[in-house]
Amino acid sequence: MKKNEAKSRIEHLSAELKRHNHNYYVLNSPEITDFQYDLLLLELQELEKMFPEFAQKDSPTVNVGSDLSAKEQFEQFPHKYPMLSLSNTYNIGELEDFSNRISKGTDRPFTLTCELKFDGTAICLTYKKGKLFRALTRGDGTVGDDVTRNVLQIPSIPKQLVEGSNFPDEFEIRGEIYMPYNAFDKLNYQRELDEEQPFANPRNAASGSLKLQDPKQVKDRGLECTLYHLLCEEPVAPTHTQSLEKAKEWGLPVSEHFKECNTVEEVESFITFWDTERKKLPFATDGIVVKVNQLAIQTSLGYTAKSPRWATAYKFKPEEASTKLLSIDYQVGRTGAVTPVANLEPVQLSGTKVKRASLHNADQIKLMDIHIGDYVFVEKGGEIIPKITRVDINRRGFDIVPVEFPQNCPVCGTPLVKDEDEAKHFCPNRDECPPQIKGKFIHFIGRKAMDINAGEATIEQLYGKGYIKQLSDLYKLTEVQLLTLDKWKDKSVANFLKSLEESKKVPFHRLLFAIGIRHIGETTAKNIAQHFKTMDAIAAATREEILAIEEVGEKLADSIIGYFGKPEHLRVIGELKEYGLQMELDNTGKSIESEILKGMTIVISGNFTISRDDMKALIEAHSGKVGSSISGNTTYMVAGEKCGPSKLSKAEKLGVKVIGEEEFMNMLKN
Ligand SMILES: [Zn+2]
């Protein structure tokens, strides 16, 4: 390669890899597979070796990618010990080289440990006196985001270690936060209902969840943790495996799948075993980590700028197969999004026969220049559904036909639309297109919407029998109709009707979310309900009035105007109103923010940083009751400045807990 060619290729690769790092670590939305990324990185490494004069100072080959978020979102703290990444290989033969390098670096005998490489997001936990003190993401390796309040929501991470189990006063332990497949499926299912972009794979879902601003949401995400690297001033044991055994005794989650090996052959057979066996695990893994077990040898080997010399990762190559693309189906989802699905000549891949694969959208088909009749590569990575990665151009024949993306909805025939900033095509016929009608009901009955005791199968049947077409039809269902449903008996009918009846009390903001106006999520629904107070006011609002609400953009405003502009919608809402559903904020004129204080009576006394009226409103907004005087029924007294001494002594006498404003505010935050 000529010098100037090398220079421009290095510049190009560096820029591309930086962009992919950003997609991966910050946006949680990678465009390319890990394998493709590693190939680019390898190419850059080789070029930098041949032309060191062109290597950039902050080259992706020496800098670990950064997951740091904006400073307003998370506080940042430096890592006590830098958090590096591991060197990796897809070539089992290179493990021999790794072992030889270690032999050269030490005279002492050593063993190698093999562990599963969990496909999640790295975390560093600090424990002080047995209590979880801080949790940091890897960040840029030197500084990490403080995600402690989110990590506290993950059940497998102990807040307090097992008493008396002899843990050091202070130590760090690192590991991986990951999302098991079942939690991942559940999350993506919900995201599709909420019209949010589903996560590409469990790893992105885990790192996205760890960076949520609301810890309560983190709790619902089903995250898990596994820890694999203990760091403290004085080692607690001479080897890595023994240290992890200790950590386990202290109550920390440590993977049971590891092995201490004496030879590289043993390492290889561990890898071979897990390359197939891992497919049975309920979570994603992407390789095996091999480490020198003896901590003293680890210390003497030390680190390069980017990774430790005493560890490496063998990464499983995603299995790939080439097969013929027979045809493309266009599926219409519940949100009206049209997804192309490839029908393939059946091919064996990762132990299963693959016949269908996702093609995502029209842009991707164009980008990959896919034709019907082409041979394409199908890959199964961490994702559940296999995907087409590229055309096998060497096998292209003459019988290929260009892909023509349909202009009309394959179900209802309506011309499709494509938003400029979205890659997907949509069927705009939300009220008449059958998959969308069903989707509308499934969204309506959801737990965060009307919370009606029924599932997708019930909706499918009710719709199939022609009992429901508009949301208000649900409230017209009769016992006789319901008894015609598959396996439904008196009891299931009674349960369903009772839950329908209860749904009439669901607060206004949730109803607003439930009726499924496009782009209205849970939070936006709350804001809009709070602003306009009644459904009628929203229906009558002008575009400008809607845009005046914070966080409401043009797209949403248009969607609201469009929704209420349709007489059918107004009729359905009129019917729902007649059935007694909540069409305005409750009498107090305040909406409920949380149920943290539900069942509690709280008395306030003294002055606060906010007005006493605001304080009362805050208590009510979190479902608490404001008490006028201290009694046996009082749950807490919130004492401000210049708090009445008689109230204080009465609280003491009755054993009512007195808390300060700050403590109270913290309570609401958790
Ligand atoms: Zn349609």
Side-chain angles (χ1 to χ4, degrees):
M1 186 179 268
K2 283 196 200 117
K3 266 200 162 187
N4 57 350
E5 271 171 20
K7 183 165 182 263
S8 74
R9 184 68 186 157
I10 286 177
E11 275 167 10
H12 173 74
L13 285 171
S14 303
E16 270 297 281
L17 285 162
K18 280 177 200 167
R19 192 173 68 82
H20 289 307
N21 276 341
H22 185 74
N23 285 342
Y24 181 106
Y25 288 109
V26 181
L27 306 179
N28 291 312
S29 174
E31 280 170 21
I32 56 173
T33 64
D34 288 10
F35 184 57
Q36 288 166 319
Y37 176 91
D38 289 331
L39 285 180
L40 294 178
L41 190 69
L42 193 68
E43 188 189 343
L44 180 60
Q45 262 164 357
E46 298 291 317
L47 281 174
E48 285 181 351
K49 235 184 257 170
M50 290 192 284
F51 302 95
E53 64 272 33
F54 301 136
Q56 299 181 356
K57 244 192 214 134
D58 61 343
S59 164
T61 57
V62 289
N63 259 22
V64 294
S66 169
D67 69 34
L68 289 176
S69 301
K71 282 224 166 71
E72 316 80 74
Q73 290 179 329
F74 293 96
E75 222 178 319
Q76 293 170 356
F77 289 96
H79 287 293
K80 193 166 173 189
Y81 315 92
M83 224 167 153
L84 304 170
S85 61
L86 287 182
S87 63
N88 68 50
T89 174
Y90 288 90
N91 182 349
I92 213 159
E94 284 185 15
L95 292 174
E96 188 81 50
D97 302 340
F98 169 72
S99 173
N100 288 341
R101 275 199 305 274
I102 294 165
S103 302
K104 267 186 216 149
T106 179
D107 313 330
R108 284 170 287 177
F110 63 91
T111 55
L112 296 169
T113 61
C114 296
E115 297 159 31
L116 290 182
K117 189 170 177 304
F118 284 65
D119 201 6
T121 182
I123 192 75
C124 176
L125 308 174
T126 303
Y127 281 86
K128 282 189 181 176
K129 301 213 184 310
K131 272 206 172 68
L132 177 62
F133 171 73
R134 186 172 288 153
L136 294 181
T137 66
R138 196 179 60 158
D140 62 3
T142 318
V143 175
D145 279 338
D146 180 355
V147 289
T148 314
R149 61 199 160 111
N150 285 348
V151 161
L152 286 170
Q153 305 296 329
I154 301 172
S156 54
I157 298 178
K159 285 131 208 101
Q160 169 72 51
L161 301 179
V162 178
E163 295 289 351
S165 61
N166 225 357
F167 43 78
D169 248 14
E170 184 177 336
F171 66 90
E172 261 187 43
I173 189 158
R174 290 174 183 175
E176 206 85 357
I177 304 238
Y178 64 95
M179 186 178 283
Y181 289 131
N182 57 5
F184 172 70
D185 290 344
K186 207 176 113 199
L187 174 64
N188 266 356
Y189 177 78
Q190 188 59 46
R191 282 177 81 87
E192 275 181 33
L193 288 186
D194 295 348
E195 304 200 349
E196 287 170 295
Q197 183 76 24
F199 284 107
N201 55 45
R203 178 198 50 221
N204 299 129
S207 45
S209 301
L210 193 61
K211 291 285 184 84
L212 284 168
Q213 287 296 303
D214 178 6
K216 267 179 290 172
Q217 281 185 22
V218 181
K219 198 169 198 160
D220 295 334
R221 292 280 172 103
L223 294 175
E224 300 272 350
C225 179
T226 183
L227 300 169
Y228 48 65
H229 188 193
L230 180 70
L231 286 146
C232 46
E233 293 292 319
E234 289 294 319
V236 297
T239 69
H240 168 62
T241 43
Q242 287 164 333
S243 311
L244 288 188
E245 282 298 332
K246 296 262 185 203
K248 206 166 157 187
E249 283 166 26
W250 307 335
L252 291 161
V254 171
S255 168
E256 54 193 321
H257 307 300
F258 71 90
K259 188 172 187 259
E260 186 177 349
C261 300
N262 288 302
T263 63
V264 176
E265 287 70 38
E266 281 178 54
V267 173
E268 287 176 6
S269 64
F270 185 87
I271 290 175
T272 316
F273 173 77
W274 278 109
D275 198 5
T276 42
E277 202 64 16
R278 71 192 182 101
K279 285 155 200 159
K280 298 179 193 157
L281 294 169
F283 47 82
T285 52
D286 62 343
I288 300 292
V289 177
V290 185
K291 295 175 184 164
V292 172
N293 195 26
Q294 289 66 28
L295 298 182
I297 301 180
Q298 283 190 6
T299 313
S300 72
L301 290 169
Y303 297 82
T304 68
K306 203 184 172 185
S307 49
R309 287 199 183 87
W310 43 264
T312 192
Y314 171 81
K315 286 178 98 176
F316 298 122
K317 212 177 199 162
E319 244 180 285
E320 196 180 60
S322 164
T323 187
K324 195 170 182 175
L325 172 63
L326 302 175
S327 62
I328 297 177
D329 285 343
Y330 296 90
Q331 293 183 342
V332 185
R334 292 192 199 103
T335 60
V338 179
T339 309
V341 179
N343 292 310
L344 306 166
E345 213 160 67
V347 64
Q348 205 66 27
L349 184 64
S350 302
T352 51
K353 198 171 257 177
V354 173
K355 285 186 285 191
R356 288 163 80 77
S358 164
L359 273 165
H360 300 293
N361 54 51
D363 292 351
Q364 281 233 315
I365 296 176
K366 212 181 257 169
L367 201 72
M368 290 192 273
D369 187 32
I370 291 178
H371 291 62
I372 308 280
D374 258 334
Y375 280 83
V376 290
F377 282 106
V378 199
E379 182 186 302
K380 215 172 167 184
E383 298 78 13
I384 319 287
I385 313 158
K387 63 179 176 197
I388 291 178
T389 52
R390 65 201 143 95
V391 172
D392 190 353
I393 208 80
N394 295 328
R395 295 178 77 182
R396 179 168 272 182
F398 294 106
D399 56 343
I400 55 163
V401 186
V403 176
E404 271 184 57
F405 206 90
Q407 311 243 308
N408 294 70
C409 172
V411 183
C412 73
T414 308
L416 299 178
V417 292
K418 187 174 176 237
D419 287 351
E420 288 217 346
D421 50 344
E422 277 171 278
K424 286 200 172 238
H425 285 75
F426 283 89
C427 166
N429 186 13
R430 301 199 85 192
D431 297 324
E432 309 278 342
C433 185
Q436 298 192 63
I437 298 177
K438 282 182 252 176
K440 190 167 64 178
F441 279 101
I442 291 163
H443 173 76
F444 186 78
I445 62 173
R447 198 168 54 84
K448 289 176 179 170
M450 303 308 279
D451 197 16
I452 293 167
N453 195 0
E456 212 176 320
T458 307
I459 295 297
E460 194 78 44
Q461 284 196 65
L462 290 171
Y463 180 75
K465 287 177 187 279
Y467 295 158
I468 54 171
K469 187 148 186 271
Q470 289 169 341
L471 292 176
S472 49
D473 294 341
L474 273 178
Y475 296 90
K476 295 175 194 161
L477 288 168
T478 63
E479 254 171 81
V480 180
Q481 285 177 328
L482 291 169
L483 279 169
T484 66
L485 299 188
D486 231 13
K487 293 188 193 121
W488 277 47
K489 300 262 161 51
D490 291 345
K491 203 173 163 202
S492 30
V493 170
N495 278 343
F496 179 73
L497 289 173
K498 190 173 155 230
S499 127
L500 264 185
E501 210 41 48
E502 271 165 16
S503 76
K504 294 178 182 172
K505 289 180 231 147
V506 161
F508 173 49
H509 67 267
R510 271 171 56 190
L511 174 65
L512 183 61
F513 169 64
I515 55 175
I517 301 172
R518 203 165 166 216
H519 305 302
I520 290 201
E522 252 183 294
T523 327
T524 345
K526 238 182 233 175
N527 292 343
I528 296 171
Q530 197 121 33
H531 186 90
F532 286 108
K533 313 270 193 282
T534 71
M535 192 71 95
D536 291 342
I538 301 173
T542 64
R543 195 167 179 277
E544 286 65 40
E545 283 167 340
I546 297 169
L547 277 171
I549 308 175
E550 226 177 296
E551 288 172 46
V552 173
E554 311 228 328
K555 218 155 107 181
L556 178 55
D558 288 341
S559 171
I560 295 174
I561 295 285
Y563 183 89
F564 289 102
K566 283 198 177 166
E568 310 87 274
H569 291 157
L570 296 176
R571 200 172 51 237
V572 171
I573 286 177
E575 284 187 20
L576 291 174
K577 196 173 189 173
E578 265 169 48
Y579 286 113
L581 277 75
Q582 303 301 310
M583 295 288 166
E584 48 193 80
L585 290 182
D586 58 358
N587 310 335
T588 55
K590 290 154 202 138
S591 85
I592 302 302
E593 273 182 43
S594 87
E595 299 193 337
I596 288 177
L597 305 177
K598 199 172 178 176
M600 299 186 187
T601 304
I602 292 165
V603 172
I604 60 171
S605 175
N607 300 326
F608 304 96
T609 52
I610 57 174
S611 76
R612 288 171 56 89
D613 279 344
D614 284 349
M615 195 68 171
K616 285 179 189 168
L618 199 60
I619 293 170
E620 281 166 356
H622 290 275
S623 314
K625 227 176 99 186
V626 181
S628 51
S629 64
I630 306 271
S631 75
N633 293 327
T634 310
T635 322
Y636 290 110
M637 171 170 146
V638 185
E641 239 177 275
K642 296 186 187 155
C643 160
S646 63
K647 272 193 177 168
L648 264 180
S649 67
K650 194 166 179 195
E652 203 173 322
K653 212 160 70 191
L654 292 171
V656 172
K657 194 168 178 208
V658 179
I659 56 175
E661 182 180 350
E662 203 185 325
E663 197 179 337
F664 175 71
M665 294 298 179
N666 281 336
M667 206 158 97
L668 299 185
K669 267 185 224 150
N670 296 321

